[in-house]
């Protein structure tokens, strides 16, 4: 594979397209009698960085040294043993998750949303939706231009401990638009609530894409 600076070899590579995005996964395999060392994970990580926009997965017959595990956890590199080697569709799901789910450091480009959270602190991928639905039974997902407004709505939820506020970067916005077409409507929330009532502009995923998704080179 051609990286930014040089060519790289990876043991297994696959890619697919979903919701208009190209998803790539590189898998490094070590069939050794000893645990994989930190330096080997670092070398693979440097390949992934130079290639760019790729999910890094490491598979080892004999496990990993502590330093390798700590390094991989810090940089989001998935470490697998032969016993827990998943099928490709599970790897596919993990790649979609890494693209589609914003983390606590994600910034709104331009939107902020309220999302459901698991007991372990990870988000489920489910957006908070208004109690009422559209006439054609589509869910309404509010999009906030201001993080503070999203936090204000979150604070008024009865089950607020089950939700968190997240920023939606452009690449995640594109994925959300693609997955939402035909199933949801968005509500653009321009201002804080008045007397506890929220008002927004109802807008389709297609309209969000036209108005707010900035394609590369445009």
């Amino acid at each position: 594979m051609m990286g930014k600076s040089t060519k790289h070899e990876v043991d297994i590579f696959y890619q697919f397209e979903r919701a208009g995005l190209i998803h790539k996964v590189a898998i490094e395999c070590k069939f050794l009698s000893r645990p994989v060392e930190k330096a080997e994970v670092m070398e693979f990580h440097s390949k992934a960085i130079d290639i760019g926009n790729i999910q890094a997965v490491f598979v080892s017959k004999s496990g990993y040294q502590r330093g390798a595990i700590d390094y991989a956890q810090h940089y989001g590199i998935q470490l697998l043993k032969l016993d827990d080697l998943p099928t490709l569709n599970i790897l596919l799901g993990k790649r979609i998750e890494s693209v589609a789910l914003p983390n606590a450091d994600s910034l709104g480009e331009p939107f902020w949303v309220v999302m459901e959270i698991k007991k372990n602190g990870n988000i489920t991928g489910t957006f908070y939706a208004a109690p009422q639905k559209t006439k054609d039974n589509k869910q309404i997902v509010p999009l906030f231009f201001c993080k503070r407004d999203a936090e204000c709505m979150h604070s008024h939820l009865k089950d607020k401990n089950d939700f968190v506020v997240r920023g939606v970067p452009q690449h995640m916005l594109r994925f959300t638009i693609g997955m939402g077409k035909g199933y949801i409507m968005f509500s653009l929330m321009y201002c804080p609530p008045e007397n506890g009532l929220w008002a927004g502009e109802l807008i389709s995923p297609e309209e969000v894409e036209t108005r707010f998704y900035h394609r590369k080179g445009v």
Side-chain angles (χ1 to χ4, degrees):
M1 300 184 66
M2 189 64 208
K4 300 180 183 71
S5 64
T6 186
K7 290 183 178 180
H8 300 282
E9 290 185 2
V10 297
D11 293 330
I12 301 173
F13 167 78
Y14 74 92
Q15 73 175 39
F16 61 95
E17 182 174 348
R18 184 70 180 270
L21 293 176
I22 299 296
H23 308 269
K24 301 178 181 179
V25 179
I27 305 175
E28 184 83 353
C29 304
K30 294 293 184 183
F31 198 75
L32 305 173
S33 58
R34 58 166 178 81
V36 167
E37 300 174 358
K38 177 182 176 181
E40 292 168 306
V41 177
M42 292 177 65
E43 180 182 1
F44 180 49
H45 183 221
S46 68
K47 289 183 183 180
I49 291 175
D50 196 54
I51 294 169
N53 187 32
I54 195 166
Q55 178 74 30
V57 179
F58 215 112
V59 181
S60 169
K61 171 190 174 185
S62 304
Y64 304 87
Q65 292 185 0
R66 182 72 254 175
I69 295 173
D70 292 342
Y71 183 88
Q73 288 178 343
H74 182 78
Y75 288 103
I77 301 168
Q78 187 179 3
L79 300 183
L80 301 174
K81 299 178 182 179
L82 292 183
D83 291 341
D84 56 15
L85 182 64
T87 58
L88 281 181
N89 61 330
I90 294 178
L91 282 178
L92 169 69
K94 289 184 178 296
R95 174 56 182 163
I96 291 177
E97 181 178 281
S98 72
V99 173
L101 301 185
N103 56 44
D105 297 322
S106 298
L107 297 177
E109 296 176 341
F111 298 119
W112 298 83
V113 295
V114 178
M115 300 191 72
E116 186 180 43
I117 191 171
K118 303 176 185 177
K119 291 183 179 179
N120 63 7
N122 296 325
I123 55 178
T124 65
T126 300
F127 292 89
Y128 169 80
Q132 70 276 15
K133 294 184 178 181
T134 64
K135 292 181 179 180
D136 54 353
N137 204 38
K138 293 179 181 178
Q139 290 189 317
I140 301 174
V141 175
L143 299 176
F144 299 88
F145 290 96
C146 174
K147 182 180 181 181
R148 185 171 296 177
D149 287 353
E151 291 173 339
C152 182
M153 169 173 271
H154 175 255
S155 69
H156 285 84
L157 298 179
K158 293 182 179 179
D159 50 353
K160 62 182 180 181
N161 291 334
D162 296 328
F163 293 89
V164 291
V165 173
R166 289 287 187 265
V168 182
Q170 279 284 298
H171 67 280
M172 295 181 182
L173 177 63
R174 179 65 184 90
F175 186 90
T176 302
I177 292 168
M179 297 298 291
K181 289 180 178 178
Y183 299 96
I184 64 175
M185 291 288 286
F186 293 108
S187 180
L188 300 183
M189 313 300 288
Y190 292 109
C191 57
E194 294 184 5
N195 300 321
L197 299 176
W198 291 85
E201 173 193 351
L202 205 60
I203 182 172
S204 69
E206 290 81 1
E207 290 177 284
V208 172
E209 182 176 16
T210 299
R211 293 172 58 181
F212 300 103
Y213 174 64
H214 307 298
R215 294 172 177 81
K216 293 183 178 179
V218 178

